[in-house]
Amino acid sequence: MPKIRYIARVFSGMRFKKLNSLMTVVKEKCGQSKVKTFFDLLVCFFRYGSGYYDYVMFGFYDLTAAQRDTYLTRVRNKKVCELMNDPAFGEIFDNKLLFNERFAHLLGRQVLSAETVEADKLAAFLSDNESFFAKPNRGTCGNGIEKLRTSDFADAQRVLDYVRGKNLPVLEEVIVQHEDMARLHPASVNTLRIVTDRVGSVTHIAYVVVKIGTGGGFCDNSGQGGVICRVDEKTGKICSVATDDYFHIYNKHPDTGIVFNGYALPMVQEAIALAKEASAVVPQTGHVGWDVAITPDGVVLIEGNDYPGTDLCQLAPHYPEKQGLWPYYKRILSLNRSKRKMKEEILQETPTQEESDLKPNEGKSGIIEVDGVSYQRLPIRTHLITDQDNIVYVAETYGSPVLSEAGDILFISEKCVACTQKRAIPMSEIKPRKLAVMLSKHVMKTPHGIGLGMPETMECALKECGVLRILFAAVISVIGKKIFRKKGWFYAVAGYKARSIDGPCHNTIPPYNHYVVLGPRKPDLVAKQIKERIGYDAMIVDINDLEGQILGVSSKSIDKQLYARVLKDNPLGQDDQQTPMGIIRRV
């Protein structure tokens, strides 16, 4: 049942004219009197936390009590957002300029800030685009967006004067959408709304819908006259009729005549993969609705909403099975609670260390001198890191208590990061092909690691890098050894993905002594996320007793070559030492 304070706020904001119009809709749909609807609305609010929009959108007037109880209502959705999302990170999603900066690698188009853009950069943008979108920095449902033609302005300064005067600081290139998306309604960029729920390192998909414009408008939002269809995430096809904000139902598009149910949308799986990737950028915000556009060249991210409403999902025409999303979210919230409880238990079982507790691993030196400067390396003991962990939280849990001086840097083993990304593969699950067996026989094995000298690790290299690259690298390696008497050309050609594959060895803590561990994904991004959480610079490193390299850094100012030398003797220990991370401090 909703809290009293929330109830008071809901009733104080109630629009009785709108309530009356919605009760009229119910009467038209099922013949139920307004009096009965009014009291049923009250019952549903107190029992299920539903508002009057929920009542009509979900078709509560035609559902049993048991069916109604399966729906994600406005009160329940508020609870999901509160439990899944850290409000400290809400500004990233509310502020479009900040969002575009954080998610720049996923946008796939030119975006500028009219607040800070330089004149020559804006002039180049205008010369490349006959038209562009100007958007308010805050807002939802497509409100306030304008599509502007470059030819309507004498020069770049006139553009700036206009957009600044109308408070439209977000300038974006117009997206050219895939022909199968344009066929639905060519005037608007029709997008997928994909809602993700991230728990730990696992991202779940709640639902997928497609938003389609109508009437020649450039917005696909239902709030701007667009329509919505449910999408089967497995087949990539529309699996319902369309509906709009006025509860009309359309079997085919009112303008283009395209029949909705069964229409195959392009690249739905790629769009889902993009949403999952985006969900890892700000893991503190677990419940997000992503708008994704489909272009001829691939999928691009439009925006993310950290308070996705209930007005796009569970709509009565879309859910003839009369089963809502609340059972799914009860499971997600249970998983989320379990993750928090697991984290608390880990902290109890493996107490965080005080700075005075840190000491070098046995046989390792705590201090090294490089270019006349002394650096202290303090390894940090953790619990056994698995794919159930979030590396950002792990770094915060163990790193924050011991990071105390300006200039401290947290460094983390790449294997530790990869394990949290599900990049550790049991040997029993790898089935090497004949090519992998043959190639692995020609790899030189060293005491410092097996590298690609076994069929299982070579098979992973073939999958990670591609057969042609590995074969080409093998040929170049032979040329280097036989003709020029040079070693190391194989990895120079095969690249980082091949070089970072670690095979099992005796001095690795179980169960990873029976795993192949691939290189971590996006180490720079991981390092930046960690810095945002702990307030100190971070590095993702690949070091062993032979050499070391810095894979990812949180800041461009970090000298990778310098710190590779600082860590060259590998002060960490991943056997029974259980120290996959540490801090570097100048002394």
Side-chain angles (χ1 to χ4, degrees):
M1 181 173 170
K3 295 180 179 179
I4 298 299
R5 184 176 297 178
Y6 183 69
I7 292 173
R9 188 162 69 249
V10 169
F11 277 102
S12 66
M14 183 179 290
R15 293 177 292 170
F16 288 96
K17 185 176 180 180
K18 190 65 180 180
L19 171 62
N20 183 59
S21 69
L22 291 174
M23 290 192 295
T24 300
V25 170
V26 173
K27 187 174 183 179
E28 291 172 351
K29 286 185 175 291
C30 68
Q32 182 170 281
S33 71
K34 290 186 178 182
V35 173
K36 184 176 181 180
T37 297
F38 178 78
F39 285 104
D40 198 26
L41 281 166
L42 293 178
V43 170
C44 289
F45 177 74
F46 286 103
R47 182 172 293 178
Y48 314 113
S50 62
Y52 44 71
Y53 268 103
D54 293 346
Y55 186 90
V56 183
M57 288 189 303
F58 306 154
F60 268 23
Y61 49 82
D62 192 34
L63 302 181
T64 66
Q67 290 168 338
R68 290 173 172 180
D69 200 28
T70 68
Y71 280 73
L72 179 69
T73 60
R74 64 176 293 175
V75 173
R76 290 170 174 176
N77 186 57
K78 180 175 181 289
K79 178 180 180 180
V80 169
C81 292
E82 289 175 345
L83 293 176
M84 296 288 291
N85 296 347
D86 185 337
F89 294 84
E91 180 66 8
I92 295 172
F93 295 88
D94 295 339
N95 184 321
K96 287 184 173 62
L97 293 174
L98 188 58
F99 180 91
N100 288 347
E101 180 181 339
R102 180 65 62 88
F103 292 88
H105 61 295
L106 301 177
L107 298 181
R109 63 191 184 281
Q110 290 180 287
V111 294
L112 297 176
S113 166
E115 295 177 352
T116 60
V117 67
E118 297 175 356
D120 57 343
K121 193 169 184 179
L122 178 58
F125 173 83
L126 295 174
S127 67
D128 290 341
N129 297 282
E130 294 181 357
S131 59
F132 59 94
F133 284 113
K135 301 180 179 181
N137 195 30
R138 299 175 187 274
T140 59
C141 301
N143 291 316
I145 297 175
E146 293 188 21
K147 186 175 183 180
L148 305 176
R149 291 184 300 178
T150 302
S151 60
D152 289 340
F153 299 90
D155 51 39
Q157 186 58 50
R158 298 294 177 88
V159 171
L160 282 180
D161 292 342
Y162 180 82
V163 296
R164 287 173 178 172
K166 299 201 69 174
N167 198 22
L168 301 173
V170 184
L171 308 181
E172 297 187 2
E173 172 188 358
V174 175
I175 293 172
V176 177
Q177 63 185 331
H178 191 284
E179 61 180 359
D180 290 338
M181 298 299 290
R183 193 173 290 120
L184 291 164
H185 183 252
S188 58
V189 176
N190 309 305
T191 61
L192 296 178
R193 164 63 64 88
I194 303 170
V195 172
T196 60
D197 296 290
R198 188 172 179 86
V199 181
S201 60
V202 180
T203 299
H204 306 265
I205 302 298
Y207 63 87
V208 182
V209 298
V210 59
K211 302 186 294 179
I212 307 165
T214 64
F218 61 79
C219 278
D220 63 347
N221 299 79
S222 60
Q224 301 295 322
V227 296
I228 309 160
C229 297
R230 184 179 176 183
V231 176
D232 185 324
E233 64 184 77
K234 294 180 180 178
T235 66
K237 294 181 178 181
I238 294 176
C239 57
S240 73
V241 297
T243 186
D244 60 17
D245 273 9
Y246 303 97
F247 314 107
H248 300 129
I249 296 174
Y250 305 89
N251 291 308
K252 60 183 181 180
H253 196 283
D255 303 314
T256 63
I258 295 291
V259 175
F260 291 119
N261 203 346
Y263 187 86
L265 301 172
M267 305 186 200
V268 171
Q269 292 306 314
E270 290 86 344
I272 290 173
L274 178 71
K276 287 184 175 182
E277 183 179 356
S279 74
V281 175
V282 187
Q284 300 85 356
T285 305
H287 177 57
V288 182
W290 308 97
D291 288 341
V292 179
I294 317 295
T295 78
D297 301 319
V299 293
V300 299
L301 183 63
I302 302 299
E303 64 180 14
N305 301 271
D306 65 340
Y307 200 101
T310 57
D311 55 342
L312 296 181
C313 61
Q314 311 169 118
L315 305 180
H318 296 173
Y319 283 73
E321 67 271 32
K322 299 180 179 180
Q323 172 79 20
L325 290 170
W326 185 231
Y328 160 83
Y329 274 106
K330 285 196 289 187
R331 181 171 64 85
I332 290 296
L333 294 179
S334 176
L335 288 172
N336 198 42
R337 283 193 296 271
S338 298
K339 290 290 181 184
R340 293 201 305 269
K341 184 177 179 182
M342 185 186 302
K343 183 178 177 182
E344 293 170 359
E345 290 173 350
I346 287 171
L347 290 175
Q348 293 172 0
E349 293 170 5
T350 313
T352 54
Q353 296 165 281
E354 298 295 332
E355 189 175 334
S356 58
D357 296 332
L358 301 183
K359 58 183 180 181
N361 284 317
E362 185 177 353
K364 303 287 185 178
S365 174
I367 295 179
I368 190 172
E369 185 175 307
V370 177
D371 296 336
V373 179
S374 294
Y375 296 88
Q376 188 175 29
R377 294 89 49 83
L378 300 172
I380 301 172
R381 184 175 174 84
T382 71
H383 69 284
L384 179 65
I385 307 299
T386 73
D387 61 7
Q388 298 301 304
D389 288 294
N390 182 314
I391 192 60
V392 176
Y393 296 154
V394 171
E396 178 187 24
T397 299
Y398 295 103
S400 291
V402 294
L403 290 160
S404 59
E405 296 187 14
D408 281 357
I409 298 177
L410 182 72
F411 66 102
I412 304 175
S413 158
E414 102 290 353
K415 185 177 290 187
C416 172
V417 175
C419 288
T420 66
Q421 297 175 333
K422 298 185 182 296
R423 304 273 285 169
I425 308 169
M427 291 274 288
S428 59
E429 295 182 7
I430 302 172
K431 308 300 180 187
R433 69 194 86 175
K434 291 181 180 180
L435 178 61
V437 175
M438 185 270 290
L439 289 173
S440 66
K441 293 178 181 178
H442 299 281
V443 176
M444 183 180 71
K445 302 172 179 64
T446 75
H448 302 286
I450 199 164
L452 303 184
M454 63 186 305
E456 288 81 1
T457 53
M458 183 60 75
E459 175 64 25
C460 290
L462 290 168
K463 289 183 177 179
E464 282 283 288
C465 308
V467 173
L468 291 179
R469 178 179 285 273
I470 294 298
L471 288 176
F472 182 60
V475 171
I476 294 299
S477 176
V478 171
I479 293 173
K481 291 176 182 177
K482 299 296 184 182
I483 300 178
F484 298 98
R485 306 297 183 201
K486 298 286 186 181
K487 297 179 181 180
W489 287 16
F490 175 87
Y491 287 109
V493 175
Y496 155 73
K497 289 184 178 180
R499 189 170 56 246
S500 61
I501 294 173
D502 286 334
C505 55
H506 68 280
N507 61 347
T508 299
I509 190 170
Y512 296 116
N513 56 342
H514 296 290
Y515 278 63
V516 173
V517 182
L518 310 179
R521 291 193 185 96
K522 302 189 182 234
D524 280 323
L525 177 61
V526 173
K528 290 175 183 176
Q529 291 173 344
I530 291 171
K531 179 181 180 179
E532 289 167 2
R533 190 72 177 185
I534 66 177
Y536 285 83
D537 272 314
M539 301 189 302
I540 312 302
V541 304
D542 181 5
I543 52 176
N544 52 48
D545 295 327
L546 183 63
E547 63 175 355
Q549 56 181 316
I550 311 302
L551 303 182
V553 293
S554 58
S555 172
K556 292 181 180 179
S557 63
I558 294 177
D559 187 332
K560 290 185 178 183
Q561 292 184 342
L562 168 65
Y563 285 105
R565 294 165 63 198
V566 170
L567 298 173
K568 67 180 181 180
D569 60 338
N570 190 13
L572 299 181
Q574 298 189 57
D575 192 0
D576 55 4
Q577 305 97 331
Q578 252 177 264
T579 54
M581 64 177 64
I583 63 174
I584 297 174
R585 176 177 295 158
R586 292 182 62 163
V587 293

